[in-house]
Amino acid sequence: MDSASAPHRIPPEMPQYGEENHIFELMQNMLEQLLIHQPEDPIPFMIQHLHKDNDNVPRIVILGPPASGKTTIAMWLCKHLNSSLLTLENLVLNEFSLTATKAKRLYLQRKTIPSALLVQLIQERLAEEDCVKRGWILDGIPETREQALRIQTLGITPRHVIVLSAPDTVLIERNLGKRIDPQTGEIYHTTFDWPPESEIQNRLMVPEDISELETAQKLLEYHRNIVRVIPSYPKILKVISADQPCVDVFYQVCCGQLLKEAMADRTTFGELIQPFFEKEMAVPDSLLMKVLSQRLDQQDCIQKGWVLHGVPRDLDQAHLLNSLGYNPNRVFFLNVPFDSIMERLTLRRIDPVTGERYHLMYKPPPTMEIQARLLQNPKDTEEQVKLKMDLFYRNSADLEQLYGSAITVNGDQDPYTVFEYIESGIINPLPKKIP
């Protein structure tokens, strides 16, 4: 590899892109903590704070209305990220906390837990070793602006805040079919997610307070509060439609668009990427690989591994990845018939008034009035989809030849089935080379 094509490496002693901003934010955060807590001996306090300020672990808040699936998504995230799940229930049932004992009495009496007490519970829980070392997922908290402000005042700073959104009518219908496994806490649904095991089916319980009227009242309260919580997280907030399969929601939560994140960070790479986004042009492979390389070199990817979605797109990108030393040990190709792809994409529509997404076959609009105003994204026209598919087919043959041990999965089936096939390909041991 000649010097012109060799990846640019910054010497360890020089600051990385964005490092100055990180140091500034860290110092600012430490000063805030000193002003808040006013410790008698600030040096040990700052050392302890630095040990807790671990940027390499997940710190995620999942918010959403009743029946939006936020607890399911939070549990999946905890499983895949090996982090600790924090819910109102497991916070107040912490047997080793005196604060939890006070909150437990109120919780069992179905009384509202004061915000100050709840936030104190969160602070104590986040100081425990598992949260410090492995990170945490906070499910459904903060519920109010007061809670959000109290959490911020204590210096509890999530890295990502995910807000799930769906129409109230969909959420009410979902809630009526919800069932809970009292042994595991897993949530199931009579229509969308019924467990195949008869043993689990027999022990499922109907949750309390899931009637149509009770759910509508909870939704009204949620809408009143969430509009005041959202402004507390302007830079780290992501709103995701929950009116789709949980698997799709999960991948949107986990697999953010790397290029958009780089552009939002206002780094040198971000400034280079912005003109291509503004002109709706493809980002050059050389620049894409620099952004990707910077991300894959971070500690979490080195320690835990990584998953690339839709990359590499062609043989050139695949060779670039290999030349940089990023060799995947598992590759999956999702195979979907051309007619199914055309049906899925060309029939998609969006309501310009509400922003709601519809599909003329799988999710038609409820009224003729809505149907009359629906619009189609120009990228979903039959001509555009055919062009993209032609390009994909030309490149996929080369990629399949390069990745000879790849696993091909039929993507034209239930999302959960597709997920199970992929999961089995990940869990099963890699084939060993025969000498």
Side-chain angles (χ1 to χ4, degrees):
M1 180 183 295
D2 58 29
S3 59
S5 60
H8 178 61
R9 299 291 184 187
I10 301 173
E13 64 272 11
M14 292 180 64
Q16 300 284 335
Y17 290 117
E19 187 175 335
E20 297 91 340
N21 288 336
H22 172 70
I23 294 172
F24 174 76
E25 290 173 0
L26 183 61
M27 292 178 65
Q28 186 180 37
N29 182 260
M30 287 178 62
L31 288 172
E32 288 175 354
Q33 295 302 307
L34 288 171
L35 290 171
I36 292 167
H37 297 281
Q38 297 182 1
E40 293 182 2
D41 195 344
I43 301 300
F45 175 85
M46 287 191 290
I47 292 173
Q48 185 182 17
H49 177 70
L50 284 170
H51 281 304
K52 290 181 180 180
D53 188 24
N54 187 353
D55 280 337
N56 295 324
V57 298
R59 299 194 304 272
I60 302 171
V61 169
I62 304 286
L63 303 176
S68 61
K70 61 180 180 294
T71 299
T72 300
I73 297 298
M75 291 175 72
W76 281 7
L77 282 172
C78 286
K79 177 182 176 182
H80 287 269
L81 299 176
N82 192 30
S83 300
S84 299
L85 177 63
L86 277 65
T87 66
L88 176 61
E89 184 176 11
N90 66 31
L91 283 170
V92 301
L93 297 181
N94 186 350
E95 298 178 0
F96 304 102
S97 169
L98 293 176
T99 308
T101 304
K102 300 176 185 176
K104 185 177 179 180
R105 295 195 202 100
L106 298 171
Y107 181 77
L108 295 176
Q109 295 171 7
R110 297 178 175 275
K111 293 182 179 179
T112 301
I113 298 174
S115 295
L117 184 59
L118 176 60
V119 174
Q120 186 180 349
L121 270 177
I122 295 172
Q123 185 184 28
E124 290 180 1
R125 182 68 182 87
L126 295 185
E128 294 181 16
E129 186 177 8
D130 61 322
C131 290
V132 174
K133 289 188 174 181
R134 295 191 282 111
W136 45 268
I137 315 291
L138 193 55
D139 173 20
I141 304 171
E143 290 184 324
T144 65
R145 178 166 175 77
E146 182 188 0
Q147 291 177 7
L149 293 177
R150 285 181 177 273
I151 288 172
Q152 288 180 330
T153 300
L154 292 174
I156 300 171
T157 53
R159 298 179 67 186
H160 303 282
V161 176
I162 309 297
V163 177
L164 302 180
S165 175
D168 286 358
T169 52
V170 172
L171 297 171
I172 291 172
E173 182 181 354
R174 274 192 195 176
N175 222 22
L176 293 174
K178 185 188 293 185
R179 300 293 183 269
I180 293 181
D181 185 340
Q183 290 189 14
T184 65
E186 289 277 355
I187 299 174
Y188 296 93
H189 196 278
T190 54
T191 304
F192 307 115
D193 186 22
W194 192 245
E197 301 87 352
S198 58
E199 181 184 354
I200 297 177
Q201 294 175 9
N202 294 333
R203 68 175 184 241
L204 293 184
M205 298 177 62
V206 179
E208 298 178 357
D209 306 331
I210 64 168
S211 70
E212 185 172 347
L213 178 60
E214 289 168 317
T215 304
Q217 291 174 339
K218 290 179 182 178
L219 287 168
L220 181 62
E221 184 69 17
Y222 169 82
H223 292 312
R224 284 174 180 165
N225 286 318
I226 194 64
V227 293
R228 302 182 67 220
V229 172
I230 286 176
S232 301
Y233 305 103
K235 295 181 180 179
I236 56 174
L237 184 80
K238 183 174 184 180
V239 179
I240 295 176
S241 170
D243 190 15
Q244 53 184 325
C246 280
V247 173
D248 293 345
V249 178
F250 176 71
Y251 280 116
Q252 286 188 48
V253 170
C254 289
C255 307
Q257 299 181 34
L258 191 60
L259 292 174
K260 288 185 178 180
E261 289 181 1
M263 188 171 67
D265 284 342
R266 296 182 181 179
T267 60
T268 301
F269 287 151
E271 293 173 0
L272 293 173
I273 292 168
Q274 188 167 358
F276 294 97
F277 270 79
E278 291 174 350
K279 296 177 182 178
E280 297 186 356
M281 296 171 60
V283 177
D285 287 349
S286 58
L287 184 54
L288 171 64
M289 290 302 152
K290 286 179 181 178
V291 175
L292 190 58
S293 176
Q294 186 185 49
R295 181 65 186 91
L296 297 183
D297 284 342
Q298 292 184 17
Q299 195 65 27
D300 60 334
C301 290
I302 295 171
Q303 289 183 335
K304 300 178 182 179
W306 41 264
V307 178
L308 293 180
H309 168 234
V311 179
R313 291 193 304 264
D314 53 41
L315 201 57
D316 289 339
Q317 288 188 357
H319 287 318
L320 273 173
L321 271 178
N322 290 340
S323 69
L324 294 172
Y326 306 115
N327 300 306
N329 54 21
R330 288 173 177 82
V331 177
F332 297 91
F333 287 100
L334 295 183
N335 186 16
V336 180
F338 179 79
D339 291 343
S340 296
I341 293 171
M342 295 296 292
E343 182 181 275
R344 288 185 186 186
L345 298 183
T346 60
L347 298 181
R348 295 193 300 192
R349 297 293 187 271
I350 189 167
D351 185 343
V353 175
T354 64
E356 188 69 26
R357 296 178 181 180
Y358 294 96
H359 192 280
L360 299 183
M361 181 175 293
Y362 303 122
K363 186 190 170 185
T367 66
M368 293 298 294
E369 179 186 0
I370 296 176
Q371 183 171 349
R373 68 183 185 228
L374 295 182
L375 299 176
Q376 184 184 43
N377 190 317
K379 295 179 181 179
D380 288 344
T381 62
E382 187 173 335
E383 181 182 6
Q384 288 296 317
V385 174
K386 284 182 177 178
L387 286 172
K388 289 181 180 178
M389 288 308 302
D390 181 56
L391 181 63
F392 170 78
Y393 286 136
R394 277 186 284 163
N395 291 323
S396 62
D398 293 332
L399 291 173
E400 287 175 5
Q401 187 174 0
L402 177 67
Y403 299 116
S405 59
I407 299 172
T408 300
V409 179
N410 177 16
D412 192 24
Q413 51 186 332
D414 180 81
Y416 292 99
T417 305
V418 176
F419 181 81
E420 286 174 358
Y421 273 114
I422 294 175
E423 188 177 39
S424 66
I426 295 172
I427 293 172
N428 292 334
L430 291 169
K432 295 181 179 179
K433 293 182 179 180
I434 300 175

